[in-house]
Amino acid sequence: MTQIQKILFEYQDEKYAAFSAKLVPTLPREMFIGVRSPCYKKIVRRMHELPPAELQAFFQALPHEYHEENCLHIALINKIKQYDECLSELERFLPYINSWAVSDGLNPPALKKNKQKILPELEQWICADAPYTKRVGMLLLMKYFLDEDFRPEYLELPARIRSGEYYVNMMTAWLFAEALVKQWDSALPFIQNNRLDPWTHNKAIQKACESFRLSPEHKDFLKSLKVKTPRHF
């Protein structure tokens, strides 16, 4: 057992491990230690007390054995202040992201401060074959480019996705639901013109209608645009 694994096990909660495993059904139960989210702040602080060589070895020792090691890896990437270093470590880790719980923890300020530099990378990730690389690309597109930096063409690549992966399609639906809330006039034609696959189309409508930020009139109109589809998931 590595020193970092020993630290993670100090925060083990076996009941929480069982709970977490149910939330991430794509991974086997034995991958879960059971570390609650608030504990990662303490653990990250402890990481900086370790010798730099040990921390670097952790970044390079992929794939990790435990789900919590992946969560810690993302938390440490979020803390990297230099853009180039942050991007490099993220790109090295992307092929090893194996769950929505890990991908969705990503939000490094170093990337957010360099939106235009990261945009071509997001486009490449959205087009990647690996499902969680796709998800990361769409996640950061949603977080960084649906407000003042938004352009309608940013929705084109996600709209073209046709995937059999549940967590890819859920991310696409989430992205378009947020786009409908924040950029109604630009996002609505993608729904009106059936630009998404039917399941994702309906899920995007559902998630948008669950938002308190959308008017009742917009919600009623969206509900009228639902399509019939066989149940795939």
Side-chain angles (χ1 to χ4, degrees):
M1 183 178 290
T2 69
Q3 183 61 31
I4 289 176
Q5 287 174 342
K6 290 178 182 177
I7 291 172
L8 288 168
F9 271 94
E10 289 179 24
Y11 296 87
Q12 182 179 36
D13 181 331
E14 292 189 0
K15 288 185 178 180
Y16 187 72
F19 173 74
S20 297
K22 291 179 181 179
L23 294 180
V24 189
T26 52
L27 299 180
R29 168 64 181 83
E30 58 267 23
M31 285 191 69
F32 293 83
I33 298 170
V35 177
R36 293 180 177 273
S37 297
C39 297
Y40 284 102
K41 289 184 179 180
K42 299 176 184 178
I43 296 169
V44 167
R45 286 197 294 269
R46 292 182 65 178
M47 292 303 99
H48 295 295
E49 299 171 1
L50 297 175
E54 190 161 352
L55 194 56
Q56 191 58 37
F58 173 75
F59 275 124
Q60 295 177 351
L62 296 168
H64 294 306
E65 183 177 357
Y66 295 103
H67 167 71
E68 284 81 0
E69 289 180 282
N70 288 330
C71 292
L72 176 60
H73 201 131
I74 281 290
L76 290 169
I77 288 174
N78 285 341
K79 292 293 185 180
I80 297 174
K81 295 180 180 181
Q82 298 300 319
Y83 172 82
D84 289 338
E85 182 185 356
C86 185
L87 178 61
S88 176
E89 291 297 346
L90 175 56
E91 288 188 317
R92 177 162 49 180
F93 186 49
L94 275 176
Y96 301 96
I97 295 178
N98 58 5
S99 76
W100 68 267
V102 173
S103 66
D104 292 13
L106 182 68
N107 193 19
L111 301 188
K112 189 174 183 179
K113 292 175 182 176
N114 293 272
K115 292 181 183 179
Q116 295 309 315
K117 289 177 71 173
I118 194 65
L119 185 59
E121 309 296 338
L122 302 188
E123 292 172 346
Q124 288 185 28
W125 299 344
I126 290 170
C127 294
D129 292 330
Y132 292 104
T133 300
K134 277 186 184 295
R135 187 174 174 102
V136 164
M138 287 191 283
L139 177 76
L140 295 187
L141 185 72
M142 180 183 73
K143 287 184 175 183
Y144 299 165
F145 291 97
L146 289 185
D147 295 302
E148 65 274 6
D149 294 309
F150 175 76
R151 294 182 182 178
E153 57 264 33
Y154 293 162
L155 300 177
E156 288 290 340
L157 283 179
R160 294 175 198 159
I161 290 175
R162 296 296 180 270
S163 174
E165 295 282 349
Y166 174 82
Y167 290 104
V168 169
N169 293 328
M170 277 296 296
M171 185 65 245
T172 309
W174 184 14
L175 168 62
F176 275 91
E178 283 294 299
L180 286 164
V181 169
K182 294 185 173 184
Q183 303 291 344
W184 173 263
D185 290 338
S186 295
L188 182 61
F190 286 86
I191 303 299
Q192 289 178 306
N193 298 323
N194 297 320
R195 294 285 307 279
L196 310 180
D197 74 80
W199 186 91
T200 306
H201 172 103
N202 286 344
K203 184 59 69 172
I205 291 173
Q206 176 191 326
K207 292 181 75 65
C209 290
E210 289 171 355
S211 173
F212 294 111
R213 295 166 293 164
L214 209 59
S215 71
E217 292 77 18
H218 282 173
K219 290 181 181 181
D220 288 341
F221 183 60
L222 282 177
K223 290 174 184 177
S224 74
L225 298 177
K226 284 189 174 183
V227 297
K228 291 185 178 181
T229 177
R231 204 177 168 86
H232 293 300
F233 301 103

